[in-house]
């Protein structure tokens, strides 16, 4: 018979793993349906790099001379923001134990959304007292600090930055994918 090899996009391996789990539940023989996953390439280093890009583009935005420049910078700012969110979510989805994945994603959402009641008034006060450029600059400093701190942690070896691609047959539980 024929075999199927599914290679998902490196940032979205969870979909392919769910398809592989469905194939295993449907009693597809071992080795017939396989997933080539490169999820390990999305590591903490990528999140840190995205945070640095986000902070740098916010710093440039704070110094933008006018609306036209701000619109161009805003595109880079948006792309770096999306890169950060996607990379950090991929890490959560691929490294959390399957039975804990929903809880961990909920905690991640709380970190992103739940920090607004604390950070919002601070950034608002800075904008009122010093101007909008300074509030954007404050965000830039925070993002740059987070990216640099993360890279320092990765360089110390406390967190692995990424790993080698894995081939996982459909009959292997997805827990084997969580590194």
């Amino acid at each position: 018979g024929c075999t199927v090899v599914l290679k998902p996009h490196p940032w979205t391996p969870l979909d392919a793993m769910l398809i592989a789990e469905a194939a295993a539940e449907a009693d597809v023989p071992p080795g017939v349906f396989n997933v080539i996953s490169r999820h390990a390439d999305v590591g903490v280093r990528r999140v840190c790099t995205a945070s640095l890009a986000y902070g740098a583009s916010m710093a440039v935005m704070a110094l933008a001379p006018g609306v036209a420049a701000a619109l161009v910078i805003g595109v880079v700012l948006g792309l770096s923001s999306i890169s950060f969110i996607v990379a950090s979510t991929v890490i959560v989805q691929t490294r959390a134990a399957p039975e804990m994945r929903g809880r961990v994603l909920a905690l991640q959402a709380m970190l992103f959304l739940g920090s607004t009641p604390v950070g919002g008034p601070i950034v608002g006060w800075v904008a009122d007292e010093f101007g909008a450029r300074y509030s954007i600059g404050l965000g830039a400093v925070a993002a740059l600090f987070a990216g640099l701190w993360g890279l320092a942690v990765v360089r110390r070896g406390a967190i692995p930055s990424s790993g080698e691609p894995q081939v996982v047959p459909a009959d292997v539980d997805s827990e084997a994918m969580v590194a």
Side-chain angles (χ1 to χ4, degrees):
C2 296
T3 62
V4 175
V5 177
L6 179 61
K7 182 180 179 198
H9 189 275
W11 287 18
T12 58
L14 185 59
D15 298 337
M17 289 307 302
L18 293 175
I19 293 170
E21 286 180 9
E25 291 291 324
D27 294 327
V28 173
V32 172
F33 189 90
N34 300 287
V35 175
I36 298 174
S37 178
R38 294 187 52 89
H39 69 79
D41 285 347
V42 179
V44 177
R45 186 177 307 277
R46 183 169 297 190
V47 175
C48 296
T49 303
S51 181
L52 291 172
Y54 185 55
S57 56
M58 282 200 329
V60 173
M61 176 69 87
L63 301 172
V67 174
L71 288 174
V72 173
I73 298 164
V75 171
V76 176
L77 182 64
L79 290 173
S80 60
S81 170
I82 290 169
S83 289
F84 175 79
I85 292 169
V86 168
S88 62
T89 303
V90 167
I91 287 175
V92 169
Q93 288 180 343
T94 57
R95 294 189 182 180
E99 66 274 4
M100 298 299 289
R101 194 171 289 133
R103 293 179 185 112
V104 174
L105 284 169
L107 287 172
Q108 180 194 24
M110 287 304 300
L111 286 174
F112 278 121
L113 303 174
S115 62
T116 302
V118 175
I122 294 169
V123 172
W125 176 81
V126 169
D128 283 345
E129 291 295 316
F130 305 104
R133 290 180 188 269
Y134 287 92
S135 64
I136 295 171
L138 179 62
V141 168
L144 290 169
F145 173 78
L148 291 172
W149 178 76
L151 285 177
V153 170
V154 168
R155 283 193 185 117
R156 279 198 325 253
I159 298 174
S161 64
S162 66
E164 292 299 315
Q166 299 175 339
V167 176
V168 181
D171 61 327
V172 174
D173 190 12
S174 65
E175 290 181 23
M177 291 297 297
V178 180

